[in-house]
Amino acid sequence: MRFFGSLIELYIKTERLRHLTQSCRLEPIGIVMENLEEILATTTTDFHTCTSAIELNDFHVLRIAKPKLDQDITILRELYHIVQNENQQAILKFSIDRLQQLSQDCDKILLQKDEDLFSGVLLQDISIETVMELRKTGIAWSKIATLLGISRRTMYNRRQAFEMKEPNDSLSDEELHTAIHRIHETCPTSGAVYVKGALLATGIRAPLKKVKFFLRHVDPYGTMLRKRLRIRRRQYKVKGANSYWHIDTNHKGISYRMVLHGAVDGHSRKIIYLKLSTNNRADTALKFFNEGVSIHGLPKRVRGDKGVENSYIKLLMLSHLPNSFIEGRSVHNTRIERLWREVNLEVWSTFKDIFSFLKEHELLDEHSELDLLCLLYVYVPRIQQRLDQFTLQWNNHGLSSAQNKTPSQMWLVSMLQQEAENGVSGEESGAENRDDFEERVLDPQDSGFETDEFEEGDFDNHNDAILVPDSNLENTDELQAIFLQLVPDPCIDDGNYGIDHYVLLRNSVS
């Protein structure tokens, strides 16, 4: 068969192979495999196509021809096991080796090409950690590939090369039911979307349909009740992430000397910070704002009310960029006011009931400095722990008004889009803004504005100031030492929502 000899001459031109080809008499193997001539002719064509594509650096043709070459190798291997003649087997073995060598060369060339492309887009501008963070928020790999400007195949190859493993989210139905039951115990008023967000925050991804199914078994009454409380929302649009932050303070716990400080990104609804403090001072609000900037970068504008607690934030924003702080009534601060509704429902309502229980049973007197000191020691860290859980839950729950995207997804995608539009890495841009802002925030006296007008002593007489009086107990430090000895960690579960911890402290120091 002349085509078989020509195939070998194309693969290897050595005296030894020529001698084998001339000396051997090929047995009629056409009866063993149909269309053998056509198969070997195709193998010869694929060989020439791959070698030409390598010489011409035609990677598109090489990607198409490479799978065909692998298929030719498989066919020749089957043929090798069929023939009986030793000379024929030697020729086939040598041909297979050459084809395998060519296939490996193609793989190396294509892999290097993908690495060049991938490193230019992903490894330099965007870290592997950022890609995995996008994936952990629930964004599909195909969407991530589109966002980075690479093909799905390239994303798949890079995942294999850099060992980007899927988050460990495989749970049996029984384990998922247990996880949802545990979340419901902590957040009894949460619906299916919030529960799914709480699962996603812990690295567990589950279909919303399955979450609803199990939640109906865990909380049938609450599921029916929530269907009657759906809200018809108006549209509110912000250009992009970090374009507009909404800040405010929540004074639902002012009678217990507790103040909530919060900030929300206007575009993505992502919670920037949600902190509990025992005062309403401007320096405390500024500290929380600085922490948010250090993590998320500097916003272009901030919306807040005219309360004195926002004074330092206002001055610092205006010193950074003119017209960057917008004042208005709290009822018009849409994003943060919407968040307070959820915080009051999901977090504060539980502790409000606990405090009401203590007062009804004469275990808490709001006018007793000692009772308030015990209450703050036990419940401030417990409330903050619940606020941190709610923040993760909120940032990872799907928004019906945003095609079921989560706030974390919207924030990350928007930041990457801004990076692509500006041609500057998001990390470099954020670092530059943070460095410039830190010079102003951390050293107010060097920033060029005067703070004498807003000294803390003047807050007490300001018409808009909401005051939280300090404790007048003289031995506060000694009491704190006793508290620390009796209850080292107030967040440890006492089986009674912290009431046993509080009663123990109150009885011990009274």
Side-chain angles (χ1 to χ4, degrees), residues 258 276 348 351 355 379-387:
M258 299 180 187
L276 179 69
W348 182 250
F351 294 96
F355 299 158
Y379 284 100
V380 166
R382 297 176 74 94
I383 296 176
Q384 185 59 59
Q385 184 183 60
R386 180 64 190 97
L387 290 172

Side-chain angles (χ1 to χ4, degrees), residues 149-190:
I150 59 179
S151 67
R152 295 172 62 183
R153 182 65 183 178
T154 301
M155 173 58 72
Y156 175 79
N157 291 337
R158 295 310 95 217
R159 286 173 53 196
Q160 302 300 320
F162 292 96
E163 298 181 354
M164 299 183 192
K165 298 181 180 180
E166 287 279 4
N168 185 18
D169 56 359
S170 58
L171 288 180
S172 64
D173 289 348
E174 183 177 355
E175 292 173 335
L176 182 60
H177 183 276
T178 303
I180 292 176
H181 182 72
R182 190 182 304 113
I183 293 172
H184 176 69
E185 289 180 344
T186 307
C187 319
T189 58
S190 296

Side-chain angles (χ1 to χ4, degrees), residues 50-220:
C50 289
T51 53
S52 299
I54 292 175
E55 294 176 357
L56 299 175
N57 291 328
D58 192 341
F59 300 104
H60 178 69
V61 174
L62 190 60
R63 292 182 191 277
I64 298 175
K66 171 61 173 55
K68 297 181 180 179
L69 188 65
D70 294 336
Q71 186 178 4
D72 295 336
I73 295 174
T74 302
I75 294 174
L76 290 181
R77 284 176 176 171
E78 295 177 357
L79 183 61
Y80 174 80
H81 294 292
I82 293 175
V83 299
Q84 301 296 328
N85 187 282
E86 294 182 358
N87 291 332
Q88 293 175 8
Q89 288 182 343
I91 294 172
L92 284 172
K93 185 178 185 304
F94 203 89
S95 302
I96 293 171
D97 292 341
R98 287 302 305 275
L99 287 173
Q100 287 181 332
Q101 183 62 43
L102 179 61
S103 177
Q104 292 175 3
D105 293 341
C106 293
D107 287 334
K108 291 179 181 179
I109 293 172
L110 293 176
L111 181 61
Q112 184 62 43
K113 178 65 177 177
D114 290 343
E115 286 180 352
D116 294 341
L117 175 62
F118 196 73
S119 62
V121 175
L122 184 62
L123 298 181
Q124 293 180 5
D125 298 336
I126 303 174
S127 63
I128 300 296
E129 289 76 12
T130 302
V131 177
M132 292 308 299
E133 189 67 24
L134 288 168
R135 183 55 182 163
K136 288 179 181 178
T137 61
I139 301 178
W141 286 113
S142 58
K143 295 287 184 70
I144 297 176
T146 302
L147 186 63
L148 301 179
I150 59 179
S151 67
R152 295 172 62 183
R153 182 65 183 178
T154 301
M155 173 58 72
Y156 175 79
N157 291 337
R158 295 310 95 217
R159 286 173 53 196
Q160 302 300 320
F162 292 96
E163 298 181 354
M164 299 183 192
K165 298 181 180 180
E166 287 279 4
N168 185 18
D169 56 359
S170 58
L171 288 180
S172 64
D173 289 348
E174 183 177 355
E175 292 173 335
L176 182 60
H177 183 276
T178 303
I180 292 176
H181 182 72
R182 190 182 304 113
I183 293 172
H184 176 69
E185 289 180 344
T186 307
C187 319
T189 58
S190 296
V193 178
Y194 273 174
V195 171
K196 182 181 178 181
L199 291 171
L200 187 59
T202 59
I204 302 173
R205 288 184 297 163
L208 182 60
K209 184 177 181 180
K210 185 175 288 189
V211 174
K212 289 181 178 179
F213 175 79
F214 286 119
L215 190 59
R216 280 196 293 267
H217 288 76
V218 173
D219 184 24

Side-chain angles (χ1 to χ4, degrees), residues 223-237:
T223 302
M224 296 179 62
L225 184 62
R226 282 188 291 271
K227 290 183 179 180
R228 304 181 59 184
L229 300 176
R230 294 179 179 176
I231 302 173
R232 186 175 180 179
R233 298 182 178 90
R234 295 177 296 174
Q235 288 188 348
Y236 176 81
K237 296 182 179 179

Side-chain angles (χ1 to χ4, degrees), residues 236-246 264-272 296 335 394-395 397 399 402 405-415:
Y236 176 81
K237 296 182 179 179
V238 177
K239 183 177 180 181
N242 282 4
S243 296
Y244 208 31
W245 281 9
H246 301 258
V264 180
D265 179 63
H267 170 75
S268 63
R269 292 86 146 173
K270 182 179 183 180
I271 296 178
I272 304 300
H296 298 89
R335 287 284 189 249
W394 173 272
N395 288 343
H397 89 286
L399 300 171
K405 297 177 183 177
T406 69
S408 293
Q409 289 177 351
M410 295 177 63
W411 190 85
L412 283 171
V413 170
S414 178
M415 293 299 290

